[in-house]
Amino acid sequence: MTVTAIKAFEDNYIWAYEVDGSVFLIDPGQADPALDYLRTSDQPLAGILLTHEHYDHVDGVPGLLETYPNTEVIGPAETKAFATTIIQAEDTFERLGKTFQVIPVPGHTKGHIAYLVDGKLFCGDALFMAGCGRVFTGDYSAQYETLKRLKALPDASEVYAGHEYTRTNLNFALSVEPNNAKLKEVLKDVEAKLAQGKPSLPSTIGLEKEINLFLQANTVEAFKALRDQRDNF
Ligand SMILES: [Zn+2]
């Protein structure tokens, strides 16, 4: 079983989760890069998972269904314009012989969910490497609780986020904690990966606990202050 990053738009990732030659795509915001990937890797599309309603995570679905009709599209209620199977937060479901756990991660959008399968967390815009999504709902306590929920996952959980924002996130973190040696070390590693055209992701929950200032915020107020600072960075 493997996970591959498919680049979309400027800095989105569509994740391809593959088990025994069957592919699940997570958050296909664009059809063309995903179709190219499926053609090149010569693997059938077995299903699509959506984390939240934003266009850059769902707009590729109709184009994919033109080529792969009747593909199951699983998503939360807020993606009902695209999803064929609406999933509830905290559900579990079986596909590809695997158990997918659905985790509610509201804050960025109201109905945002994440999927945990095989120790891999597909979290859309709820959590980024060294960052988190903007709180478009204005519900900072929901996003704060979301981060606490994610922080409680096993340290080895791999984090597959929806965007390549890591460099900017680390630079922001260093503007807050200029002497943080761990942040500097991770930024160096990330710069090397990006220079080779590789994604900085996946991260892990264990690493995020060390470098993600948003996960380290101990109160909703501290979290909101940090988020406001990042919004203006
Ligand atoms: Zn989003």
Side-chain angles (χ1 to χ4, degrees):
M1 150 264 313
T2 57
V3 181
T4 308
I6 303 167
K7 291 183 182 177
F9 300 106
E10 287 292 297
D11 49 33
N12 277 72
Y13 289 126
I14 301 165
W15 295 106
Y17 173 67
E18 305 172 23
V19 180
D20 298 331
S22 294
V23 181
F24 262 42
L25 292 176
I26 295 99
D27 284 356
Q30 282 183 309
D32 286 348
L35 288 168
D36 283 348
Y37 175 78
L38 292 166
R39 263 184 230 118
T40 310
S41 61
D42 196 24
Q43 295 181 105
L45 179 61
I48 296 173
L49 303 178
L50 304 176
T51 64
H52 68 294
E53 65 187 346
H54 286 155
Y55 79 95
D56 59 326
H57 296 254
V58 300
D59 272 7
V61 171
L64 284 160
L65 294 186
E66 270 177 38
T67 306
Y68 300 94
N70 307 318
T71 302
E72 184 180 26
V73 182
I74 298 174
E78 68 177 26
T79 63
K80 64 178 184 299
F82 299 92
T84 58
T85 303
I86 300 294
I87 208 85
Q88 304 301 321
E90 297 180 49
D91 274 358
T92 59
F93 59 91
E94 310 279 331
R95 296 289 186 284
L96 303 172
K98 303 282 184 182
T99 301
F100 289 73
Q101 188 189 336
V102 183
I103 302 171
V105 290
H108 176 72
T109 67
K110 202 168 177 222
H112 201 317
I113 58 172
Y115 300 90
L116 183 67
V117 57
D118 260 336
K120 297 170 196 319
L121 178 73
F122 297 102
C123 53
D125 294 350
L127 178 70
F128 296 127
M129 184 167 180
C132 73
R134 280 182 192 250
V135 184
F136 289 120
T137 58
D139 192 345
Y140 287 85
S141 59
Q143 180 65 28
Y144 177 70
E145 293 302 320
T146 283
L147 294 178
K148 282 213 307 206
R149 206 169 294 127
L150 296 177
K151 196 158 68 170
L153 295 174
D155 281 355
S157 310
E158 294 172 5
V159 177
Y160 294 88
H163 289 270
E164 183 57 76
Y165 290 159
T166 309
R167 182 196 279 131
T168 311
N169 286 338
L170 287 167
N171 281 323
F172 167 71
L174 278 164
S175 76
V176 178
E177 295 188 5
N179 299 317
N180 187 319
K182 182 70 184 178
L183 287 173
K184 287 183 195 170
E185 178 197 320
V186 173
L187 179 58
K188 211 174 144 197
D189 290 348
V190 164
E191 295 281 12
K193 281 185 184 168
L194 295 177
Q196 294 172 44
K198 293 180 184 164
S200 62
L201 301 161
S203 184
T204 63
I205 291 294
L207 178 60
E208 289 309 301
K209 282 171 18 187
E210 282 188 80
I211 65 168
N212 193 316
L213 303 188
F214 297 95
L215 284 184
Q216 292 166 5
N218 284 323
T219 62
V220 184
E221 292 71 26
F223 166 68
K224 183 177 186 307
L226 196 62
R227 191 56 255 182
D228 289 347
Q229 229 181 314
R230 176 66 176 87
D231 289 350
N232 296 305
F233 180 66

